[in-house]
Amino acid sequence: MALTRLQKILADRGVASRRKAEELIQNGHVRVNGHPAKLGDKADDRRDTITVRGKRIQAPPELVYLMLHKPRGYITTLNDENGRKCVAELVKDVGVRVYPVGRLDKDSEGLLFFTNDGAFSNAMMHPTAHVAKRYRVTIRAEVGDEQLACFEQGILIDGKKTLPAEATVVSFEKQTADSPARTVLEVVLYEGRNRQIRKMCEALGLPIVRLKRIAVGTVKLGMLPPGKWRHLEPREVRDLLMAAQIDEKIAAKYIKSGKGSVKYGRSASRR
């Protein structure tokens, strides 16, 4: 049973701010299963009956976990005051409000998770959760062995050395009279610093042409078309939590919860 402090439940359900919710509890306006609540009490908002001034609070929304194939040109935010294209446009048909887990910059593409489960998002984003993130990186140059070794040794960016990463050459095209050399790398990161691969390559003098996230943990982008989304399988959610080193008993519950459909979602029309 997942127990949460009452004031947080009330705030999450839009009843009141957390501070106002505490006042409602202290003034005796909140009941759990018919019993007056006290400040500090916890409840399971999916099983317990919680009322405020005799009115039952709104039921929590269904937990949703999905993956989007983010195209280039979209920023990872829900709205933008400058009118730029946002990833929220591509998941507006999900049926519930979901939020991106982490980010990909405007010029990057690939796998991006969305959810309305704060606990899942926090688990994936926590600094100690070193879930492997795999990228396909196209470089307009030849990449030498010494540069590849730097990824594994760590590279100093923003005054801090990166964790060891994996970098292997997928393909290489030699320079010709008509075009420069071209190398495709597969890079695996175990941390999620802002624009990390771009900054690492910049430090090594490697100009990036294309950057695409192709997998997180055991979840692969696969053949999901750009701009489309699908629900994560319950087992995929469980495996991601296990990769983030979340307690096995907590992760196991996701086998029996969530949506199992892999039907492609409709994306917003391109502008």
Side-chain angles (χ1 to χ4, degrees):
M1 179 181 295
L3 299 180
T4 306
R5 289 190 181 275
L6 279 173
Q7 57 265 40
K8 184 178 187 304
I9 293 175
L10 297 182
D12 289 345
R13 297 294 162 267
V15 175
S17 66
R18 194 171 296 195
R19 179 174 296 181
K20 182 63 177 178
E22 292 175 352
E23 294 177 6
L24 290 171
I25 296 170
Q26 289 175 321
N27 293 333
H29 297 306
V30 181
R31 289 176 173 264
V32 179
N33 299 326
H35 303 289
K38 304 184 300 295
L39 194 62
D41 283 354
K42 296 182 179 181
D44 182 344
D45 59 354
R46 295 184 177 274
R47 298 185 180 185
D48 294 323
T49 299
I50 304 171
T51 59
V52 178
R53 296 193 176 100
K55 184 178 180 180
R56 187 169 183 173
I57 68 170
Q58 183 179 0
E62 178 182 9
L63 295 180
V64 174
Y65 312 87
L66 59 90
M67 57 181 281
L68 168 75
H69 185 161
K70 175 195 171 299
R72 281 184 285 185
Y74 284 78
I75 60 174
T76 307
T77 186
L78 298 181
N79 53 71
D80 180 66
E81 60 184 15
N82 296 320
R84 292 176 296 178
K85 294 182 290 187
C86 305
V87 292
E89 301 171 27
L90 303 174
V91 296
K92 64 182 182 181
D93 59 326
V94 173
V96 297
R97 189 174 179 84
V98 290
Y99 303 87
V101 180
R103 63 179 55 245
L104 285 171
D105 63 54
K106 181 181 177 182
D107 296 323
S108 298
E109 59 191 297
L111 177 57
L112 182 65
F113 295 137
F114 283 78
T115 188
N116 58 351
D117 183 352
F120 173 80
S121 183
N122 290 339
M124 296 301 298
M125 296 292 293
H126 196 277
T128 62
H130 301 311
V131 182
K133 301 177 183 67
R134 191 175 300 271
Y135 299 81
R136 190 63 56 90
V137 187
T138 304
I139 306 291
R140 190 182 285 114
E142 182 176 358
V143 181
D145 291 340
E146 292 184 2
Q147 291 166 312
L148 292 175
C150 288
F151 283 93
E152 185 173 349
Q153 296 165 3
I155 300 170
L156 188 66
I157 60 173
D158 299 328
K160 182 180 179 181
K161 198 172 186 179
T162 62
L163 291 179
E166 302 169 18
T168 56
V169 176
V170 176
S171 65
F172 170 65
E173 297 177 7
K174 293 183 179 180
Q175 181 176 347
T176 66
D178 299 323
S179 61
R182 186 182 184 93
T183 306
V184 177
L185 299 178
E186 190 164 287
V187 178
V188 182
L189 297 184
Y190 296 92
E191 58 183 333
R193 295 164 62 178
N194 184 40
R195 297 174 63 85
Q196 181 170 342
I197 290 181
R198 293 188 182 278
K199 291 179 179 180
M200 293 169 75
C201 287
E202 181 181 357
L204 296 175
L206 300 176
I208 291 179
V209 177
R210 188 178 184 186
L211 177 58
K212 183 177 184 179
R213 184 189 290 159
I214 59 175
V216 177
T218 58
V219 179
K220 299 178 181 180
L221 183 63
M223 300 302 293
L224 185 66
K228 301 292 184 178
W229 59 266
R230 72 166 175 86
H231 289 287
L232 291 177
E233 299 282 359
R235 185 172 294 275
E236 289 177 317
V237 178
R238 190 284 309 269
D239 288 346
L240 286 168
L241 289 171
M242 292 296 292
Q245 299 181 347
I246 302 301
D247 183 83
E248 185 173 0
K249 291 182 179 179
I250 297 175
K253 74 176 183 178
Y254 288 91
I255 295 179
K256 298 182 180 180
S257 66
K259 295 184 177 180
S261 171
V262 294
K263 181 179 179 181
Y264 290 166
R266 299 183 301 276
S267 69
S269 59
R270 302 291 176 83
R271 290 187 289 176

CSV table of all heavy atoms in Angstrom, one decimal, residues 63-71 74-78 86-92 94 96-104 110-118 120-121 124 213 228-232 237 240:
chain,number,residue,atom,x,y,z
A,63,LEU,N,-2.4,6.1,-14.0
A,63,LEU,CA,-1.0,6.3,-14.2
A,63,LEU,C,-0.7,5.8,-15.6
A,63,LEU,O,-1.1,4.8,-16.1
A,63,LEU,CB,-0.1,5.5,-13.2
A,63,LEU,CG,-0.3,5.9,-11.7
A,63,LEU,CD1,0.6,5.1,-10.8
A,63,LEU,CD2,0.1,7.4,-11.6
A,64,VAL,N,0.0,6.7,-16.3
A,64,VAL,CA,0.4,6.5,-17.7
A,64,VAL,C,1.9,6.6,-17.9
A,64,VAL,O,2.5,7.5,-17.4
A,64,VAL,CB,-0.4,7.5,-18.6
A,64,VAL,CG1,0.1,7.4,-20.1
A,64,VAL,CG2,-1.9,7.4,-18.5
A,65,TYR,N,2.4,5.6,-18.7
A,65,TYR,CA,3.8,5.7,-19.1
A,65,TYR,C,3.9,5.4,-20.6
A,65,TYR,O,3.4,4.5,-21.1
A,65,TYR,CB,4.6,4.5,-18.4
A,65,TYR,CG,4.2,4.4,-16.9
A,65,TYR,CD1,3.1,3.7,-16.4
A,65,TYR,CD2,5.0,5.1,-15.9
A,65,TYR,CE1,2.8,3.6,-15.1
A,65,TYR,CE2,4.7,5.0,-14.6
A,65,TYR,CZ,3.6,4.2,-14.2
A,65,TYR,OH,3.3,4.2,-12.8
A,66,LEU,N,4.6,6.4,-21.2
A,66,LEU,CA,4.7,6.2,-22.7
A,66,LEU,C,6.1,6.7,-23.2
A,66,LEU,O,6.8,7.4,-22.5
A,66,LEU,CB,3.6,6.9,-23.4
A,66,LEU,CG,3.4,8.4,-23.2
A,66,LEU,CD1,4.2,9.2,-24.2
A,66,LEU,CD2,2.0,8.8,-23.3
A,67,MET,N,6.4,6.3,-24.4
A,67,MET,CA,7.6,6.8,-25.1
A,67,MET,C,7.2,7.5,-26.4
A,67,MET,O,6.3,7.0,-27.1
A,67,MET,CB,8.5,5.6,-25.3
A,67,MET,CG,8.0,4.5,-26.1
A,67,MET,SD,9.1,3.1,-26.4
A,67,MET,CE,10.1,3.8,-27.7
A,68,LEU,N,7.9,8.5,-26.7
A,68,LEU,CA,7.7,9.3,-27.9
A,68,LEU,C,9.0,9.3,-28.7
A,68,LEU,O,10.1,9.3,-28.1
A,68,LEU,CB,7.4,10.8,-27.5
A,68,LEU,CG,7.5,11.8,-28.6
A,68,LEU,CD1,6.2,11.7,-29.5
A,68,LEU,CD2,7.6,13.2,-28.1
A,69,HIS,N,8.9,9.2,-30.0
A,69,HIS,CA,10.0,9.4,-30.9
A,69,HIS,C,10.0,10.9,-31.2
A,69,HIS,O,9.3,11.4,-32.1
A,69,HIS,CB,9.9,8.6,-32.2
A,69,HIS,CG,11.1,8.7,-33.1
A,69,HIS,ND1,11.3,7.8,-34.1
A,69,HIS,CD2,12.1,9.6,-33.1
A,69,HIS,CE1,12.4,8.2,-34.7
A,69,HIS,NE2,12.9,9.2,-34.1
A,70,LYS,N,10.8,11.6,-30.4
A,70,LYS,CA,10.9,13.1,-30.6
A,70,LYS,C,11.6,13.4,-31.9
A,70,LYS,O,12.8,13.0,-32.1
A,70,LYS,CB,11.6,13.7,-29.4
A,70,LYS,CG,11.9,15.2,-29.5
A,70,LYS,CD,12.9,15.7,-28.6
A,70,LYS,CE,13.3,17.2,-28.8
A,70,LYS,NZ,14.0,17.4,-30.1
A,71,PRO,N,11.0,14.2,-32.7
A,71,PRO,CA,11.7,14.7,-33.9
A,71,PRO,C,12.6,15.9,-33.6
A,71,PRO,O,12.4,16.5,-32.6
A,71,PRO,CB,10.5,15.1,-34.9
A,71,PRO,CG,9.3,14.8,-34.2
A,71,PRO,CD,9.6,14.7,-32.7
A,74,TYR,N,11.8,20.2,-32.1
A,74,TYR,CA,10.9,20.4,-31.0
A,74,TYR,C,11.7,20.5,-29.7
A,74,TYR,O,12.7,19.9,-29.5
A,74,TYR,CB,10.0,19.1,-30.9
A,74,TYR,CG,8.9,19.1,-31.9
A,74,TYR,CD1,9.1,18.6,-33.2
A,74,TYR,CD2,7.6,19.4,-31.5
A,74,TYR,CE1,8.1,18.6,-34.1
A,74,TYR,CE2,6.5,19.4,-32.5
A,74,TYR,CZ,6.8,18.9,-33.8
A,74,TYR,OH,5.8,18.9,-34.7
A,75,ILE,N,11.2,21.4,-28.8
A,75,ILE,CA,11.8,21.6,-27.6
A,75,ILE,C,11.1,20.8,-26.5
A,75,ILE,O,9.9,20.6,-26.6
A,75,ILE,CB,11.9,23.1,-27.1
A,75,ILE,CG1,10.5,23.7,-27.0
A,75,ILE,CG2,12.8,23.9,-28.1
A,75,ILE,CD1,10.5,25.1,-26.4
A,76,THR,N,11.9,20.3,-25.5
A,76,THR,CA,11.3,19.4,-24.5
A,76,THR,C,10.7,20.3,-23.4
A,76,THR,O,11.3,20.5,-22.3
A,76,THR,CB,12.3,18.5,-23.9
A,76,THR,OG1,13.0,17.8,-25.0
A,76,THR,CG2,11.7,17.4,-23.0
A,77,THR,N,9.5,20.8,-23.6
A,77,THR,CA,8.7,21.5,-22.6
A,77,THR,C,7.3,21.4,-23.0
A,77,THR,O,6.9,21.0,-24.1
A,77,THR,CB,9.2,23.0,-22.6
A,77,THR,OG1,8.5,23.7,-21.5
A,77,THR,CG2,8.9,23.7,-23.9
A,78,LEU,N,6.4,21.8,-22.1
A,78,LEU,CA,5.0,21.7,-22.3
A,78,LEU,C,4.4,22.9,-23.1
A,78,LEU,O,3.4,22.8,-23.8
A,78,LEU,CB,4.2,21.5,-21.0
A,78,LEU,CG,4.6,20.3,-20.2
A,78,LEU,CD1,3.7,20.2,-19.0
A,78,LEU,CD2,4.3,19.0,-21.1
A,86,CYS,N,6.7,22.4,-29.3
A,86,CYS,CA,6.9,21.7,-28.1
A,86,CYS,C,6.5,20.3,-28.2
A,86,CYS,O,5.6,20.0,-28.9
A,86,CYS,CB,6.2,22.4,-26.9
A,86,CYS,SG,6.5,24.2,-26.7
A,87,VAL,N,7.2,19.4,-27.4
A,87,VAL,CA,6.8,18.0,-27.5
A,87,VAL,C,5.4,17.7,-27.0
A,87,VAL,O,4.8,16.7,-27.3
A,87,VAL,CB,7.8,17.2,-26.6
A,87,VAL,CG1,9.2,17.2,-27.3
A,87,VAL,CG2,7.9,17.7,-25.2
A,88,ALA,N,4.9,18.7,-26.2
A,88,ALA,CA,3.5,18.5,-25.7
A,88,ALA,C,2.5,18.4,-26.8
A,88,ALA,O,1.5,17.7,-26.7
A,88,ALA,CB,3.1,19.6,-24.7
A,89,GLU,N,2.8,19.0,-27.9
A,89,GLU,CA,1.9,19.0,-29.1
A,89,GLU,C,1.8,17.5,-29.6
A,89,GLU,O,0.7,17.2,-30.2
A,89,GLU,CB,2.4,19.8,-30.2
A,89,GLU,CG,2.6,21.3,-29.9
A,89,GLU,CD,3.3,22.1,-30.9
A,89,GLU,OE1,3.3,21.7,-32.1
A,89,GLU,OE2,4.0,23.1,-30.6
A,90,LEU,N,2.8,16.7,-29.4
A,90,LEU,CA,2.8,15.4,-30.0
A,90,LEU,C,2.2,14.4,-29.1
A,90,LEU,O,1.9,13.2,-29.5
A,90,LEU,CB,4.3,15.0,-30.2
A,90,LEU,CG,5.1,15.9,-31.2
A,90,LEU,CD1,6.6,15.5,-31.2
A,90,LEU,CD2,4.5,16.0,-32.5
A,91,VAL,N,1.9,14.7,-27.9
A,91,VAL,CA,1.2,13.7,-26.9
A,91,VAL,C,-0.1,14.3,-26.4
A,91,VAL,O,-0.6,13.8,-25.4
A,91,VAL,CB,2.2,13.4,-25.8
A,91,VAL,CG1,3.4,12.7,-26.2
A,91,VAL,CG2,2.6,14.6,-25.0
A,92,LYS,N,-0.7,15.3,-27.1
A,92,LYS,CA,-1.9,15.9,-26.6
A,92,LYS,C,-3.1,15.0,-26.7
A,92,LYS,O,-4.1,15.2,-26.1
A,92,LYS,CB,-2.2,17.2,-27.3
A,92,LYS,CG,-2.4,17.1,-28.8
A,92,LYS,CD,-2.6,18.5,-29.4
A,92,LYS,CE,-3.0,18.4,-30.9
A,92,LYS,NZ,-3.1,19.8,-31.4
A,94,VAL,N,-3.1,11.8,-25.7
A,94,VAL,CA,-3.0,10.7,-24.8
A,94,VAL,C,-4.2,10.5,-23.9
A,94,VAL,O,-4.6,9.4,-23.6
A,94,VAL,CB,-1.7,10.9,-23.9
A,94,VAL,CG1,-1.7,9.9,-22.8
A,94,VAL,CG2,-0.5,10.9,-24.7
A,96,VAL,N,-4.7,12.1,-20.9
A,96,VAL,CA,-4.4,12.7,-19.6
A,96,VAL,C,-3.2,13.5,-19.7
A,96,VAL,O,-2.4,13.4,-20.7
A,96,VAL,CB,-4.1,11.6,-18.5
A,96,VAL,CG1,-5.4,10.7,-18.2
A,96,VAL,CG2,-3.0,10.7,-18.9
A,97,ARG,N,-3.0,14.4,-18.8
A,97,ARG,CA,-1.8,15.3,-18.8
A,97,ARG,C,-0.5,14.5,-18.4
A,97,ARG,O,-0.5,14.0,-17.3
A,97,ARG,CB,-2.0,16.5,-17.9
A,97,ARG,CG,-0.9,17.6,-18.1
A,97,ARG,CD,-1.3,18.8,-17.2
A,97,ARG,NE,-0.4,19.9,-17.3
A,97,ARG,CZ,-0.3,20.8,-18.2
A,97,ARG,NH1,-1.2,20.8,-19.2
A,97,ARG,NH2,0.6,21.8,-18.2
A,98,VAL,N,0.4,14.5,-19.3
A,98,VAL,CA,1.7,13.8,-19.0
A,98,VAL,C,2.9,14.8,-19.1
A,98,VAL,O,2.7,15.8,-19.8
A,98,VAL,CB,1.9,12.6,-19.9
A,98,VAL,CG1,0.9,11.5,-19.5
A,98,VAL,CG2,1.8,12.9,-21.3
A,99,TYR,N,4.0,14.4,-18.5
A,99,TYR,CA,5.1,15.3,-18.4
A,99,TYR,C,6.4,14.5,-18.9
A,99,TYR,O,6.5,13.3,-18.7
A,99,TYR,CB,5.4,15.8,-17.0
A,99,TYR,CG,4.2,16.5,-16.4
A,99,TYR,CD1,3.2,15.8,-15.8
A,99,TYR,CD2,4.1,17.9,-16.5
A,99,TYR,CE1,2.1,16.5,-15.2
A,99,TYR,CE2,3.0,18.6,-16.0
A,99,TYR,CZ,2.0,17.8,-15.3
A,99,TYR,OH,0.9,18.5,-14.8
A,100,PRO,N,7.3,15.2,-19.6
A,100,PRO,CA,8.5,14.6,-20.1
A,100,PRO,C,9.4,14.2,-18.9
A,100,PRO,O,9.5,14.9,-17.9
A,100,PRO,CB,9.1,15.6,-21.0
A,100,PRO,CG,8.6,16.9,-20.6
A,100,PRO,CD,7.2,16.7,-20.1
A,101,VAL,N,10.1,13.0,-19.1
A,101,VAL,CA,11.0,12.6,-18.1
A,101,VAL,C,12.4,12.9,-18.7
A,101,VAL,O,12.9,12.3,-19.6
A,101,VAL,CB,10.9,11.1,-17.9
A,101,VAL,CG1,11.9,10.6,-16.8
A,101,VAL,CG2,9.5,10.7,-17.4
A,102,GLY,N,13.1,13.9,-18.1
A,102,GLY,CA,14.3,14.3,-18.7
A,102,GLY,C,14.1,15.2,-19.9
A,102,GLY,O,13.0,15.7,-20.1
A,103,ARG,N,15.1,15.3,-20.8
A,103,ARG,CA,14.9,16.1,-22.0
A,103,ARG,C,15.9,15.7,-23.1
A,103,ARG,O,16.9,15.0,-22.9
A,103,ARG,CB,15.1,17.6,-21.6
A,103,ARG,CG,16.5,18.0,-21.1
A,103,ARG,CD,16.6,19.5,-20.9
A,103,ARG,NE,15.5,19.9,-19.9
A,103,ARG,CZ,14.5,20.8,-20.2
A,103,ARG,NH1,14.4,21.2,-21.5
A,103,ARG,NH2,13.7,21.1,-19.4
A,104,LEU,N,15.5,16.1,-24.3
A,104,LEU,CA,16.4,16.1,-25.4
A,104,LEU,C,16.4,17.5,-26.0
A,104,LEU,O,15.3,18.2,-26.1
A,104,LEU,CB,15.9,15.1,-26.5
A,104,LEU,CG,16.1,13.6,-26.2
A,104,LEU,CD1,15.4,12.8,-27.3
A,104,LEU,CD2,17.6,13.3,-26.2
A,110,GLY,N,14.8,11.3,-31.0
A,110,GLY,CA,14.8,10.0,-30.4
A,110,GLY,C,13.9,9.7,-29.3
A,110,GLY,O,12.9,10.4,-29.1
A,111,LEU,N,14.3,8.8,-28.4
A,111,LEU,CA,13.5,8.2,-27.4
A,111,LEU,C,13.3,9.2,-26.2
A,111,LEU,O,14.3,9.7,-25.6
A,111,LEU,CB,14.1,6.9,-26.9
A,111,LEU,CG,13.4,6.2,-25.7
A,111,LEU,CD1,12.0,5.9,-26.0
A,111,LEU,CD2,14.2,4.9,-25.3
A,112,LEU,N,12.1,9.5,-25.9
A,112,LEU,CA,11.8,10.4,-24.7
A,112,LEU,C,10.6,9.9,-24.0
A,112,LEU,O,9.5,9.6,-24.6
A,112,LEU,CB,11.5,11.8,-25.3
A,112,LEU,CG,11.2,12.9,-24.2
A,112,LEU,CD1,12.4,13.2,-23.3
A,112,LEU,CD2,10.7,14.2,-24.9
A,113,PHE,N,10.7,9.7,-22.7
A,113,PHE,CA,9.6,9.1,-21.9
A,113,PHE,C,8.7,10.2,-21.4
A,113,PHE,O,9.1,11.4,-21.2
A,113,PHE,CB,10.1,8.4,-20.7
A,113,PHE,CG,10.9,7.1,-21.0
A,113,PHE,CD1,12.1,6.8,-20.3
A,113,PHE,CD2,10.4,6.2,-21.9
A,113,PHE,CE1,12.8,5.7,-20.6
A,113,PHE,CE2,11.2,5.1,-22.2
A,113,PHE,CZ,12.3,4.8,-21.6
A,114,PHE,N,7.4,9.9,-21.2
A,114,PHE,CA,6.4,10.8,-20.6
A,114,PHE,C,5.6,10.0,-19.6
A,114,PHE,O,5.4,8.8,-19.7
A,114,PHE,CB,5.4,11.3,-21.6
A,114,PHE,CG,5.9,12.4,-22.5
A,114,PHE,CD1,6.7,12.1,-23.6
A,114,PHE,CD2,5.5,13.7,-22.3
A,114,PHE,CE1,7.2,13.1,-24.4
A,114,PHE,CE2,6.0,14.7,-23.1
A,114,PHE,CZ,6.8,14.4,-24.2
A,115,THR,N,5.2,10.7,-18.5
A,115,THR,CA,4.4,10.0,-17.5
A,115,THR,C,3.7,11.0,-16.6
A,115,THR,O,4.0,12.2,-16.7
A,115,THR,CB,5.3,9.1,-16.6
A,115,THR,OG1,4.5,8.3,-15.7
A,115,THR,CG2,6.2,10.0,-15.7
A,116,ASN,N,2.7,10.6,-15.9
A,116,ASN,CA,2.0,11.4,-14.9
A,116,ASN,C,2.3,10.8,-13.5
A,116,ASN,O,1.7,11.2,-12.5
A,116,ASN,CB,0.5,11.5,-15.1
A,116,ASN,CG,-0.2,10.2,-15.1
A,116,ASN,OD1,0.5,9.1,-15.1
A,116,ASN,ND2,-1.5,10.2,-15.1
A,117,ASP,N,3.3,9.9,-13.4
A,117,ASP,CA,3.7,9.3,-12.2
A,117,ASP,C,5.0,10.0,-11.7
A,117,ASP,O,6.1,9.7,-12.2
A,117,ASP,CB,3.9,7.8,-12.4
A,117,ASP,CG,4.3,7.0,-11.1
A,117,ASP,OD1,4.5,7.7,-10.1
A,117,ASP,OD2,4.4,5.8,-11.2
A,118,GLY,N,4.8,10.8,-10.7
A,118,GLY,CA,6.0,11.6,-10.2
A,118,GLY,C,7.1,10.7,-9.6
A,118,GLY,O,8.2,11.0,-9.7
A,120,PHE,N,7.9,7.6,-10.5
A,120,PHE,CA,8.6,7.0,-11.7
A,120,PHE,C,9.6,8.0,-12.2
A,120,PHE,O,10.8,7.7,-12.5
A,120,PHE,CB,7.7,6.5,-12.7
A,120,PHE,CG,8.4,6.1,-14.0
A,120,PHE,CD1,8.9,4.8,-14.1
A,120,PHE,CD2,8.4,6.9,-15.1
A,120,PHE,CE1,9.6,4.3,-15.2
A,120,PHE,CE2,9.1,6.4,-16.3
A,120,PHE,CZ,9.6,5.2,-16.3
A,121,SER,N,9.1,9.3,-12.5
A,121,SER,CA,10.0,10.3,-13.0
A,121,SER,C,11.1,10.6,-12.1
A,121,SER,O,12.3,10.7,-12.5
A,121,SER,CB,9.1,11.6,-13.2
A,121,SER,OG,9.9,12.6,-13.8
A,124,MET,N,13.8,7.9,-12.3
A,124,MET,CA,14.6,7.9,-13.5
A,124,MET,C,15.6,9.0,-13.5
A,124,MET,O,16.6,9.0,-14.1
A,124,MET,CB,13.7,7.9,-14.7
A,124,MET,CG,12.8,6.7,-14.9
A,124,MET,SD,13.7,5.2,-15.1
A,124,MET,CE,14.6,5.5,-16.6
A,213,ARG,N,18.8,9.6,-29.6
A,213,ARG,CA,18.7,8.6,-28.5
A,213,ARG,C,18.0,7.4,-29.0
A,213,ARG,O,16.8,7.5,-29.4
A,213,ARG,CB,18.1,9.2,-27.3
A,213,ARG,CG,18.1,8.2,-26.1
A,213,ARG,CD,17.2,8.8,-24.9
A,213,ARG,NE,17.8,10.0,-24.3
A,213,ARG,CZ,17.2,10.9,-23.6
A,213,ARG,NH1,15.9,10.8,-23.5
A,213,ARG,NH2,17.8,11.9,-23.1
A,228,LYS,N,5.6,10.0,-33.3
A,228,LYS,CA,4.6,9.0,-32.8
A,228,LYS,C,5.0,8.6,-31.4
A,228,LYS,O,6.1,8.7,-31.0
A,228,LYS,CB,4.4,7.8,-33.7
A,228,LYS,CG,4.1,8.2,-35.1
A,228,LYS,CD,2.6,8.7,-35.2
A,228,LYS,CE,2.2,8.9,-36.6
A,228,LYS,NZ,0.8,9.4,-36.8
A,229,TRP,N,4.0,8.1,-30.6
A,229,TRP,CA,4.2,7.6,-29.3
A,229,TRP,C,3.5,6.2,-29.1
A,229,TRP,O,2.6,5.9,-29.9
A,229,TRP,CB,3.7,8.6,-28.2
A,229,TRP,CG,2.2,8.9,-28.3
A,229,TRP,CD1,1.7,9.9,-28.9
A,229,TRP,CD2,1.2,8.2,-27.7
A,229,TRP,NE1,0.3,9.9,-28.8
A,229,TRP,CE2,0.0,8.9,-28.0
A,229,TRP,CE3,1.1,7.0,-26.9
A,229,TRP,CZ2,-1.3,8.4,-27.6
A,229,TRP,CZ3,-0.1,6.6,-26.4
A,229,TRP,CH2,-1.3,7.3,-26.8
A,230,ARG,N,3.9,5.5,-28.1
A,230,ARG,CA,3.3,4.3,-27.7
A,230,ARG,C,3.3,4.1,-26.2
A,230,ARG,O,4.2,4.7,-25.5
A,230,ARG,CB,3.8,3.0,-28.3
A,230,ARG,CG,5.2,2.6,-27.8
A,230,ARG,CD,5.6,1.2,-28.3
A,230,ARG,NE,6.9,0.8,-28.0
A,230,ARG,CZ,7.2,0.2,-26.8
A,230,ARG,NH1,6.3,0.1,-25.8
A,230,ARG,NH2,8.5,-0.2,-26.6
A,231,HIS,N,2.4,3.4,-25.6
A,231,HIS,CA,2.5,3.1,-24.2
A,231,HIS,C,3.6,2.1,-23.9
A,231,HIS,O,3.9,1.2,-24.7
A,231,HIS,CB,1.2,2.5,-23.7
A,231,HIS,CG,0.0,3.4,-23.6
A,231,HIS,ND1,-0.1,4.4,-22.7
A,231,HIS,CD2,-1.1,3.6,-24.4
A,231,HIS,CE1,-1.2,5.1,-22.9
A,231,HIS,NE2,-1.8,4.6,-23.9
A,232,LEU,N,4.3,2.3,-22.8
A,232,LEU,CA,5.3,1.3,-22.3
A,232,LEU,C,4.5,0.1,-21.8
A,232,LEU,O,3.5,0.2,-21.1
A,232,LEU,CB,6.1,1.9,-21.2
A,232,LEU,CG,7.1,3.0,-21.6
A,232,LEU,CD1,7.8,3.5,-20.4
A,232,LEU,CD2,8.1,2.6,-22.6
A,237,VAL,N,8.3,-0.8,-17.8
A,237,VAL,CA,8.4,0.1,-16.7
A,237,VAL,C,9.1,-0.5,-15.5
A,237,VAL,O,9.9,0.1,-14.8
A,237,VAL,CB,6.9,0.5,-16.2
A,237,VAL,CG1,7.0,1.5,-15.0
A,237,VAL,CG2,6.2,1.2,-17.4
A,240,LEU,N,12.8,-0.6,-16.1
A,240,LEU,CA,13.4,0.7,-16.0
A,240,LEU,C,13.7,1.0,-14.5
A,240,LEU,O,14.7,1.5,-14.1
A,240,LEU,CB,12.6,1.7,-16.6
A,240,LEU,CG,12.6,1.7,-18.2
A,240,LEU,CD1,11.5,2.6,-18.7
A,240,LEU,CD2,13.9,2.2,-18.7
